Amino acid sequence: MDSGFVESQKPPFVFMLGGMEWLAHEVKYVARQVVAQKTKSGIAPKWRTPGGTLVPLETAQETAKILFGNEIPPYLDSIGRETLLSLKDEIKNMNWIPGEIIISKISSVEFNIYTFAGCKINRTLALILEIYEIGAASSDYKLVNLRSIQEEQELVLEQVDLCNNIIALLEKMKTMSTPEILELHSRFEEEMPEGYFSKFSKCLSTELSQKVLSESSLNLNGLIELLNQSKIVVEQA
């Protein structure tokens, strides 16, 4: 499992492994073990990364260019080409171009925010959406999924408001003041568990441990920079 994901969670939490859903009861930081059992249902993990590897912004953006481009890289074998074509088919109705952030409606209670910004930046956006109580968020290297905490029947006539709330927050972040940024950093650290991430962890206070985890797993400055360089596009349903 990705250590960044585990260290950022507080048991109990749900995660996906081998195509199955697991409920983690305990994290043994020194032994680097997670005590878990299989479960049939539960809340999806907040932060998921492909293959347990953190994908940076630059790699995510290059991945997007390949997915939305017209060319097939010549170095791919037949299996690689088939996989790429399958991935392209999944997003064939989306018109993403570099410099855009696309807000796509899944249902009246759920939206995807496509950034292709990498794991850290999308983790940060997901956490901010929850801090501002816009909804429950999860993320990977390409997108942030946001689900309203309201029931679907309550939102049938209010889905535009949910989308507008997302846009308003993204626009607000472009011009955040220094005190607001510092306040967010403090909130980030409060959300971090007291984790064992190196042999020197026990030498740190809880506050310093949370600060280290926050700085290593999140990227607020990168998110603000990305927002200021991007055009926000709402995909028409």
Side-chain angles (χ1 to χ4, degrees), residues 1-9 13-15 45 47 123:
M1 294 182 63
D2 173 42
S3 60
F5 167 75
V6 175
E7 290 164 356
S8 301
Q9 303 298 312
F13 61 89
V14 177
F15 63 94
W47 298 331
R123 284 177 177 178

Side-chain angles (χ1 to χ4, degrees), residues 28 42 59 66 74 93 96 100 104 108 110 125 135 152 178 193 199 213 231:
K28 298 181 178 180
T59 303
I66 293 174
N93 295 322
W96 181 88
E100 285 188 348
S104 175
S108 58
E110 187 175 9
L125 177 55
E152 185 156 5
T178 300
K199 62 183 179 180
L213 284 174
K231 176 184 178 182

Side-chain angles (χ1 to χ4, degrees), residues 60-143:
Q61 292 278 298
E62 289 302 315
T63 299
K65 291 177 183 178
I66 293 174
L67 287 174
F68 290 95
N70 296 320
E71 298 182 2
I72 303 295
Y75 50 79
L76 293 179
D77 59 16
S78 59
I79 296 177
R81 286 194 294 272
E82 289 178 9
T83 301
L84 177 57
L85 290 174
S86 176
L87 292 171
K88 282 175 171 287
D89 188 61
E90 292 177 7
I91 56 174
K92 62 183 178 181
N93 295 322
M94 185 184 303
N95 298 311
W96 181 88
I97 60 174
E100 285 188 348
I101 293 175
I102 296 180
I103 299 175
S104 175
K105 176 188 172 186
I106 304 302
S107 72
S108 58
V109 295
E110 187 175 9
F111 285 83
N112 278 338
I113 307 170
Y114 287 90
T115 65
F116 291 95
C119 295
K120 284 189 176 182
I121 288 178
N122 282 351
R123 284 177 177 178
T124 308
L125 177 55
L127 183 54
I128 291 172
L129 287 164
E130 293 196 339
I131 287 175
Y132 280 88
E133 299 182 346
I134 305 298
S138 61
S139 69
D140 59 21
Y141 78 97
K142 61 183 180 295
L143 63 84

Side-chain angles (χ1 to χ4, degrees), residues 133-197:
E133 299 182 346
I134 305 298
S138 61
S139 69
D140 59 21
Y141 78 97
K142 61 183 180 295
L143 63 84
V144 174
N145 174 266
L146 182 73
R147 186 174 179 83
S148 173
I149 56 177
Q150 293 178 265
E151 295 296 330
E152 185 156 5
Q153 58 266 27
E154 297 176 5
L155 276 176
V156 170
L157 300 177
E158 300 178 17
Q159 55 189 289
V160 175
D161 290 338
L162 179 59
C163 183
N164 287 341
N165 287 341
I166 296 172
I167 295 172
L169 180 57
L170 297 181
E171 293 293 344
K172 171 184 173 64
M173 292 186 62
K174 292 181 180 182
T175 57
M176 272 190 166
S177 65
T178 300
E180 288 175 318
I181 292 174
L182 292 175
E183 174 62 23
L184 268 181
H185 278 298
S186 296
R187 291 294 302 274
F188 290 165
E189 292 165 17
E190 292 173 4
E191 294 290 329
M192 295 296 111
E194 184 179 357
Y196 183 93
F197 50 86

